[in-house]
Amino acid sequence: MPKLTEETRGIMDAQDEENAKHRQLAAEIMTFARDQMAVSMRFLDRALFRMPMIPTDTVATYGVNGREMYFNTDHVLRSFQQEKNRCTRAFLHMIFHCIFSHPFHYEKLDRVCWDLASDIAVEKAILDLKLARVRLDDDKKREKELKRMEEDLPALTAERIYRFLLNEPEKAQRYLQTAPLFVQDDHLHWIPKKETDAADRTGDTLTTDTRTAMVGCHEADTGEEGEQADDIDEALVGQTQDDWADVSEHAKLDLETFSREQGFGAGTFLRNLREVLREKYDYGGFLKKFAVLGEEMHINDDEFDYIYYTYGLKLYENMPLVEPLEYRENKRIREFVIALDTSGSCQGAAVENFLRKTYDILKNTESYFKRVNIHIIQCDSTIQSDVKVTTDEEFDAYMRDVQLSGFGGTDFRPVFTYVDGLISRHEFHNLRGLIYFTDGKGTFPEYAPDYETAFVFIGDGFSIPETPPWAIRLVLREDEI
C-alpha cells in the first residue's frame, strides 16, 4: 500500500475538519427544530427531548425507531438551505410517528401499506394543527390529496387507512401514487433488528431506495458514522411501546386542555391518539364471560347426603354436620338471541366471522349443555327474518344460505319487542341474553329487558353512541372479531 504524502494527509485532514463542521451545523439545525416545537407545542414536552439525535449515513434523509432519532448531515444542510421549515417539519413528523406507535408494529404488517398509512396520518395531523413553523410551500398539494382521501375515509387514522388499503386494492393504487407527497423520513430503523442481522448474514442489504427517491435524495453509503450509530443503538436501552404509550397519554391529557384554550386544530391528532390508546378487546373472552352472566344457584339434591346431615342434627343438637350444596349442574337448553343490524356495513365476512365465533362460544361455554335454542334475527328498523338454530347442522345450513335483507334505518326497539313476544309465547324458557351486532346509531328501548343485553359495535369508536346503563357496550374493529 503506497504511503500517503504530506499533501494527501493535509487534504484528508481538511476534509475531516470540514465534515465535522457540517455535522456540527446539521446538529444545531436539528436542535433548533426541536426548540421551535418546544415553544409551539408545550403538550409534547415529554416527547421532544426523549431521544438523542444522531448524525449517520445509515439513512439518506431522517429516521427514528423510538429510541434514537437519526439524520443525514448532507440532507439536513441541503433541506435547510432550500426551505428552513423542512427540518422542523421532518422532526415533528418523526415525533408523531413515535407518539402514534407507528414503528412498533412493523413486523406484523404489510410494510408498503403501513408506510403510506402512517405517513398520511402524520401529515394530516400536522397540517390540521396549522403551525406556521412547519408550513411548507407544497402543503397545498397535500391538502388537496387529503381532501380527496377523506371522501373515502372521513377519519384519517393510520389504522383505518391501512385497513382501507388492504381491503380496496384498486383504490389503494391511487393512494400509493400520492405517497411521495407524504414521505418525510426513512422507515429503515422500524425493521426488527433480527431481520437486519439475518440480511447481513446472507449478504443482502436492506435499502430504502424507493423512499429515498420520494424525497429527492441519493442513497448514502454506510461509513464510519453509520457504524458508530449502530454501536450507540446497541448500547442504549431505549424506549418501548409502553414508554411511548405513557407519553401519548400525557400529550392527550395536556392537549385536550390546551386545544380548548388556544383554539388548536387538534382533531386529527387527538383522533390518532385515541386510536393508539384505545383498549384492545378479546371478543372470544368477552363472549365467554357474557355467556355465564346470571347463573342460577340451586340446591343439588342428587349430591346431598342425608346420613351426615341427620347425624349432625342428632350429635350436635340441631346443628347439621354438612350444609347442602348450593349449586347443581342443570342440563338446561342454552337460549340466546343474536340480532344482526342489516342497516349499514354489517355484512359479508364481518357478519360470517361474528356469527361463527358467537355461536361456537355460546354453544360450548359449558360442556353439559347438549342443546341450544338460538334465534338469529336480522333487523334494521323492522324485523326482517328470524331463524331458530338448535343443532350444529342447522347452523351450518343457515351459514351456507344466509342472505342479508333490510338496509333501511336503524331502530333497536323492534328486536326487544319481538323477543318479548317470543318469551310470552314460550319460545324461550330461560333466555340467557341478547347480543346485538351493529355499526350505527339507533333508538334504544326506554326500559331494561329482563335478560342481559350486549351491544357489539363495529367501527372506529369515534361515532359510536353511548348505550343505556343496563346494556353492555363493546366496540370492536373487524380484525378483532
Side-chain angles (χ1 to χ4, degrees):
M1 183 176 179
K3 295 182 178 180
L4 297 176
T5 63
E6 291 296 329
E7 181 179 1
T8 302
R9 288 196 187 95
I11 293 174
M12 293 179 64
D13 291 342
Q15 289 177 340
D16 291 342
E17 185 177 352
E18 186 72 14
N19 290 337
K21 289 181 180 179
H22 286 174
R23 287 195 296 272
Q24 178 64 28
L25 181 57
E28 291 176 0
I29 291 173
M30 295 303 295
T31 301
F32 171 76
R34 182 187 63 194
D35 294 344
Q36 290 273 85
M37 291 298 92
V39 172
S40 301
M41 308 179 76
R42 67 188 187 197
F43 55 88
L44 293 182
D45 55 349
R46 293 191 182 185
L48 297 176
F49 298 88
R50 199 171 189 87
M51 296 177 288
M53 295 184 290
I54 302 171
T56 179
D57 288 337
T58 59
V59 294
T61 55
Y62 306 92
V64 70
N65 60 7
R67 299 186 303 274
E68 303 96 24
M69 183 178 290
Y70 304 96
F71 62 89
N72 181 285
T73 297
D74 293 338
H75 180 75
V76 169
L77 297 178
R78 186 164 52 250
S79 298
F80 189 78
Q81 188 176 25
Q82 292 172 351
E83 192 176 356
K84 68 176 184 179
N85 282 356
R86 286 192 176 276
C87 299
T88 308
R89 175 67 159 266
F91 178 89
L92 186 60
H93 184 102
M94 290 185 284
I95 289 293
F96 276 19
H97 273 319
C98 295
I99 289 177
F100 297 155
S101 294
H102 293 162
F104 307 120
H105 309 291
Y106 212 47
E107 73 277 10
K108 304 175 184 177
L109 303 172
D110 180 294
R111 291 175 184 173
V112 174
C113 291
W114 186 243
D115 282 340
L116 177 58
S118 57
D119 283 336
I120 290 175
V122 164
E123 287 297 290
K124 171 64 175 172
I126 291 175
L127 289 172
D128 282 358
L129 292 174
K130 301 186 184 304
L131 293 172
R133 288 186 172 94
V134 296
R135 188 75 185 177
L136 300 179
D137 293 340
D138 54 356
D139 275 345
K140 289 185 178 180
K141 295 180 181 178
R142 295 185 181 89
E143 290 169 342
K144 182 178 179 181
E145 289 299 329
L146 289 170
K147 190 173 181 178
R148 288 177 56 192
M149 293 175 185
E150 287 180 306
E151 295 176 2
D152 293 322
L153 286 170
L156 292 177
T157 66
E159 291 76 11
R160 294 197 73 202
I161 299 169
Y162 177 77
R163 291 195 298 276
F164 178 83
L165 294 176
L166 291 181
N167 297 331
E168 302 285 347
E170 293 184 3
K171 292 184 178 180
Q173 291 303 315
R174 190 192 77 193
Y175 276 54
L176 289 168
Q177 291 174 2
T178 68
L181 275 175
F182 303 101
V183 172
Q184 298 288 348
D185 63 332
D186 291 341
H187 296 170
L188 178 65
H189 288 277
W190 295 10
I191 299 173
K193 193 174 188 307
K194 59 185 178 183
E195 291 189 30
T196 59
D197 290 343
D200 291 341
R201 287 194 297 271
T202 59
D204 295 334
T205 56
L206 293 168
T207 64
T208 54
D209 291 337
T210 302
R211 295 181 65 79
T212 296
M214 290 178 182
V215 290
C217 184
H218 66 280
E219 176 82 13
D221 295 327
T222 301
E224 185 176 348
E225 283 185 64
E227 294 173 1
Q228 181 181 7
D230 287 340
D231 291 340
I232 295 174
D233 191 299
E234 287 289 323
L236 291 175
V237 175
Q239 307 295 332
T240 66
Q241 183 178 358
D242 289 340
D243 294 326
W244 277 102
D246 291 340
V247 175
S248 302
E249 185 66 46
H250 173 78
K252 175 177 173 290
L253 294 174
D254 277 6
L255 183 56
E256 286 174 338
T257 301
F258 184 68
S259 61
R260 285 195 294 268
E261 293 175 354
Q262 303 295 326
F264 242 34
T268 302
F269 182 81
L270 282 171
R271 192 174 292 120
N272 278 273
L273 279 181
R274 289 171 184 145
E275 178 68 28
V276 171
L277 297 172
R278 71 183 288 269
E279 188 175 353
K280 306 300 188 295
Y281 295 98
D282 175 13
Y283 180 58
F286 162 78
L287 272 181
K288 291 175 182 177
K289 292 179 181 179
F290 178 80
V292 298
L293 286 176
E295 283 289 346
E296 296 180 355
M297 305 296 283
H298 299 279
I299 295 176
N300 190 339
D301 296 327
D302 294 335
E303 296 186 15
F304 181 62
D305 193 330
Y306 282 95
I307 296 176
Y308 280 101
Y309 185 80
T310 55
Y311 178 72
L313 291 176
K314 180 180 179 180
L315 181 63
Y316 298 110
E317 298 181 359
N318 296 325
M319 177 70 70
L321 184 62
V322 180
E323 286 291 336
L325 299 175
E326 294 182 351
Y327 64 88
R328 66 181 176 187
E329 290 185 348
N330 193 343
K331 300 185 185 300
R332 190 174 287 175
I333 298 173
R334 295 193 67 77
E335 298 183 331
F336 283 94
V337 172
I338 301 174
L340 300 175
D341 174 13
T342 60
S343 64
S345 60
C346 291
Q347 51 188 299
V351 168
E352 183 175 346
N353 293 336
F354 170 79
L355 281 176
R356 286 198 176 277
K357 191 161 192 174
T358 303
Y359 174 79
D360 289 341
I361 292 178
L362 293 183
K363 178 176 68 73
N364 295 316
T365 301
E366 298 177 26
S367 60
Y368 54 80
F369 285 93
K370 303 301 183 184
R371 298 164 56 201
V372 296
N373 176 18
I374 296 178
H375 282 247
I376 302 174
I377 300 173
Q378 292 188 32
C379 47
D380 46 20
S381 58
T382 61
I383 302 300
Q384 297 295 332
S385 67
D386 175 20
V387 176
K388 180 178 178 179
V389 172
T390 61
T391 65
D392 292 347
E393 291 75 18
E394 291 178 0
F395 178 76
D396 290 337
Y398 175 81
M399 292 300 296
R400 284 195 301 269
D401 301 327
V402 62
Q403 292 183 350
L404 300 183
S405 58
F407 312 109
T410 302
D411 190 341
F412 301 131
R413 294 172 298 180
V415 169
F416 292 89
T417 302
Y418 179 76
V419 171
D420 289 342
L422 292 177
I423 294 174
S424 66
R425 296 193 299 271
H426 305 291
E427 288 287 337
F428 294 113
H429 300 282
N430 182 35
L431 180 59
R432 303 298 302 282
L434 183 151
I435 300 177
Y436 211 125
F437 182 72
T438 179
D439 68 344
K441 297 180 180 179
T443 305
F444 293 94
E446 186 175 352
Y447 300 104
D450 294 330
Y451 41 84
E452 297 289 347
T453 302
F455 285 88
V456 179
F457 293 97
I458 300 299
D460 51 30
F462 307 126
S463 58
I464 302 300
E466 291 297 327
T467 55
W470 47 263
I472 301 170
R473 180 179 186 267
L474 184 66
V475 180
L476 299 174
R477 295 197 302 253
E478 288 188 25
D479 55 357
E480 292 177 328
I481 298 177

